[in-house]
Structure formats: structure tokens, C-alpha cells
Amino acid sequence: MKHIYVAFFSFLLLSCGSAKVNQSTVLNPTNPKGVKGSVLPVSKDAELERVKSKVSAKALSVDIEATMIFLTSDELKGRDTGSEGIEKAADYIQNMFKNNNILPYFTSYKDTLENYNDGVAYNIVGFLPGTDPELKNEFVVIGAHYDHIGLISGGGDDTIANGANDNASGTTTVLEFAKYFGEHKKNKRSIIFALFTAEEKGLVGSKHLAKTLKDQNINLYTMLNFEMVGVPMINKDHNLYLTGYELSNLAEISNGYANKNLVGFLPKAKEFNLFRRSDNAPFHDEFNVPSQTYSSFDFTNFGEYHKVGDEASLMDYDFMATIVSETVPMLEGIINAPIKEVKYN
């Protein structure tokens, strides 16, 4: 796949550079209404940047789709905690970390849950040290759960709850963040990338990791969780909402670094107390630092929650690519800020 995109990109570059006069135009700023004859040619450099941007966005969308298709394949049988299927997902995540310069946080990537009664269960935890001599001692956890509910009845011949939106979408998003930071290493604070098991069993995996990190007395700045980000919200002026929106200034900080209205308030999230229902909650309980979840599931845009119909084919990969692209500057801003700007109210 990589070679295909290299060839495609090279073709576009050659096409853009072959014409003696570039036909693409922009409005003359002295004539904003664009009267005929008052247009200026776009420079070749600007056109090449535009082409590169389009190719990059498409490549990101394709990469996201490939990860999603694997995590939601029938071979993984719904990624139930302790199952052979979720072990294949864990191996995939570990390889993704390893191939993108993300170190194991513990002696291995696996953070095994003690005394789990239904098979062996483990979080997958990666680590990227900070680059600043002082800020590297502060940590940001970026997380999502990679388990789902496995096999269920009531779906006719299909019994596999593949869990695309819930939460292969969040897992894939975190893996894209890991790829970005692993390549660029532009993080002054240290980052823990945590993919949790047993969220569907009662946040068991995140409770285990939060307690372990608290026992280590790490200096946790904030925990940023991603849950169900596979489809866009309906009739909203923002792409994501934040659970516990009113509890902190995280939405304001997020939008400032994103340079747009990226994160908003969803009344249903407060009504159903979603702040307590995802993997951010154990970190809030253990550390009492801003620990919140970003999501785009608005109770009207996806009807396949915990059903066999939660399939990869229903996901909007261009939307997911947009989420990654718009969220990376936000994460960089939070991770690299000289002081701890995100605070509970």
C-alpha cells in the first residue's frame, strides 16, 4: 500500500509541474468579487502543498480504515476480554507501537490484570519519554478501550458484535496519535498510550492501570480518553463533545490549541453521566486531575450500539481522519505547554 501512495504522489507532483502555466487561480485580494480577468495564478509551490495535503488526508483515511477492518474482523470474534480474539488485537497494537518508536511502559507492553476470572486479560501500554529536561517528569495519558462484548445472540446468523464504533474507533485514533508522536517526537511531557481491556466488564482494565500508576506516584497532568469517534454528530457546530464538560477548562484549552470550535457540550452526556462510564473515571478517582473523554456518539447518530450491526462498513473514515488531524495540534499544545493549563473548576 505504501508503494502505491508513493507512486500516486509522484504522478501528481509531475502532473502539477509539467505545465508551463499553472491554470489554478485564486481571487485577487484587490478585487474580492472575482471579476473576470482579475485572478492571480497560484504558485507551483502552493499548488504542490495543496496536492500533498490532499494525498496526506487520503492516505490517513486509508490507514485508519485498514486498522479498523482488522480490529473489527470476524477473526477477532468481537474482542471479548480474555478471548483468543482480543489477544490478536493486542498483538496488532503491540506491533503498531513497536514499529512506531513507542516503548513498553512496563517490562513488556502487556499490563496483566491480576485475579481476572475469565481468561488472561491485559492492557497494552506504550511510552514515549518527554524531550524537556523538566517537563518530561510530568505525564499525559492518552487512552481508549480495545475490548468489546464478543459473541451475542439475537442477530440472526450473525452472532459477532465486532465493535467498530465501540471502540475500535477510539483505539484506532489513539494508534494514529502514537504514530504521529512516535515519528515526530515533539512531546515535552512524557506520554503514556494506554489501550484498556475489560472496559465492558466495568472499567476493570483502566482501574487496574490507574491504581498501578498511582502506586508508582507518577506526576499525572491529565488523562485524555477517546470513545466512539467513528461517525459525525448530527446538526452540531463541533466535531466532538467532552464528558464532564462543565467540570474543567479542558474544552476551552482544547479549542484554543485546535484553533476552532472542535469540542462542545452535549446535554445527553451530562444527563446519562457519561463522565463516570468510560475509562477516564478511574484516573479521576485515583489522581483527582482532569480526566475526561472525547466522543462523537450523540445518541442520535448511531443505532448499532452493542449490536452485531456495529460494523466497519458504517464508519466514516474521512471524518475519523479529520478528527485525528484536528486533534493532533490540540494534543501538542497540551503536552508542550510550559505550565499545567488544564484544571478542574
Side-chain angles (χ1 to χ4, degrees):
M1 185 64 71
K2 180 179 179 182
H3 298 297
I4 293 174
Y5 280 104
V6 170
F8 177 56
F9 182 51
S10 299
F11 169 77
L12 287 174
L13 294 182
L14 289 171
S15 299
C16 292
S18 60
K20 188 171 183 180
V21 178
N22 194 316
Q23 299 301 312
S24 298
T25 57
V26 294
L27 291 177
N28 185 334
T30 64
N31 191 352
K33 292 185 179 181
V35 177
K36 187 176 181 180
S38 62
V39 290
L40 298 173
V42 173
S43 71
K44 289 182 180 180
D45 287 344
E47 182 63 18
L48 291 180
E49 286 302 314
R50 184 182 300 170
V51 171
K52 282 162 54 177
S53 177
K54 289 181 179 179
V55 172
S56 177
K58 184 60 179 175
L60 177 56
S61 178
V62 170
D63 284 351
I64 287 171
E65 183 175 7
T67 299
M68 289 288 293
I69 287 174
F70 175 79
L71 291 176
T72 61
S73 63
D74 285 353
E75 179 186 357
L76 273 60
K77 298 188 183 300
R79 306 188 311 278
D80 195 9
T81 300
S83 69
E84 292 182 5
I86 198 172
E87 188 167 345
K88 293 176 181 178
D91 289 342
Y92 182 93
I93 293 166
Q94 289 181 101
N95 288 333
M96 187 78 79
F97 281 167
K98 188 181 302 181
N99 293 336
N100 289 281
N101 306 310
I102 305 300
L103 304 171
Y105 180 77
F106 300 105
T107 55
S108 76
Y109 291 107
K110 294 181 178 179
D111 169 37
T112 304
L113 278 58
E114 298 94 350
N115 303 318
Y116 187 73
N117 295 324
D118 191 15
V120 178
Y122 35 80
N123 304 312
I124 305 298
V125 187
F127 175 60
L128 189 63
T131 60
D132 185 88
E134 295 187 9
L135 291 178
K136 70 179 181 181
N137 297 313
E138 299 176 5
F139 290 76
V140 173
V141 172
I142 301 175
H145 74 90
Y146 76 106
D147 67 306
H148 196 49
I149 59 176
L151 304 179
I152 61 176
S153 59
D157 294 335
D158 188 0
T159 60
I160 302 175
N162 296 104
N165 202 24
D166 183 21
N167 188 34
S169 64
T171 298
T172 300
T173 298
V174 170
L175 289 175
E176 289 298 326
F177 296 150
K179 287 164 63 175
Y180 175 84
F181 283 102
E183 177 183 355
H184 296 282
K185 295 183 174 63
K186 295 168 66 175
N187 56 299
K188 293 182 179 181
R189 289 182 174 84
S190 296
I191 308 174
I192 293 174
F193 296 99
L195 282 307
F196 304 110
T197 192
E199 188 267 0
E200 303 287 359
K201 310 294 185 182
L203 313 182
V204 178
S206 53
K207 288 177 181 177
H208 171 81
L209 181 60
K211 184 178 186 307
T212 299
L213 296 178
K214 181 64 174 178
D215 290 344
Q216 292 181 349
N217 199 32
I218 73 162
N219 185 356
L220 181 63
Y221 172 22
T222 185
M223 191 278 176
L224 309 175
N225 192 52
F226 291 82
E227 175 94 33
M228 298 183 72
V229 291
V231 293
M233 294 187 286
I234 298 174
N235 297 326
K236 304 293 191 300
D237 64 355
H238 50 275
N239 281 337
L240 298 170
Y241 65 86
L242 192 67
T243 65
Y245 179 93
E246 70 284 357
L247 299 179
S248 78
N249 66 346
L250 180 56
E252 178 185 353
I253 297 296
S254 297
N255 291 337
Y257 284 122
N259 197 29
K260 64 173 295 179
N261 191 30
L262 173 64
V263 182
F265 172 67
L266 185 74
K268 283 283 187 183
K270 185 175 182 179
E271 177 184 345
F272 287 94
N273 197 17
L274 297 190
F275 177 78
R276 298 295 318 172
R277 294 176 61 182
S278 195
D279 291 304
N280 60 285
F283 290 86
H284 163 78
D285 294 341
E286 291 287 352
F287 290 92
N288 194 32
V289 299
S291 306
Q292 294 169 264
T293 293
Y294 299 88
S295 180
S296 67
F297 171 68
D298 68 3
F299 295 85
T300 67
N301 61 346
F302 192 72
E304 301 300 324
Y305 173 70
H306 280 194
K307 297 178 182 178
V308 296
D310 187 1
E311 300 276 9
S313 59
L314 298 183
M315 300 298 99
D316 186 330
Y317 296 114
D318 289 340
F319 170 74
M320 291 183 65
T322 296
I323 291 300
V324 172
S325 298
E326 293 181 348
T327 305
V328 161
M330 175 198 87
L331 295 175
E332 282 188 328
I334 291 172
I335 290 166
N336 294 329
I339 61 171
K340 292 182 177 181
E341 298 173 315
V342 182
K343 300 178 185 298
Y344 276 140
N345 294 330

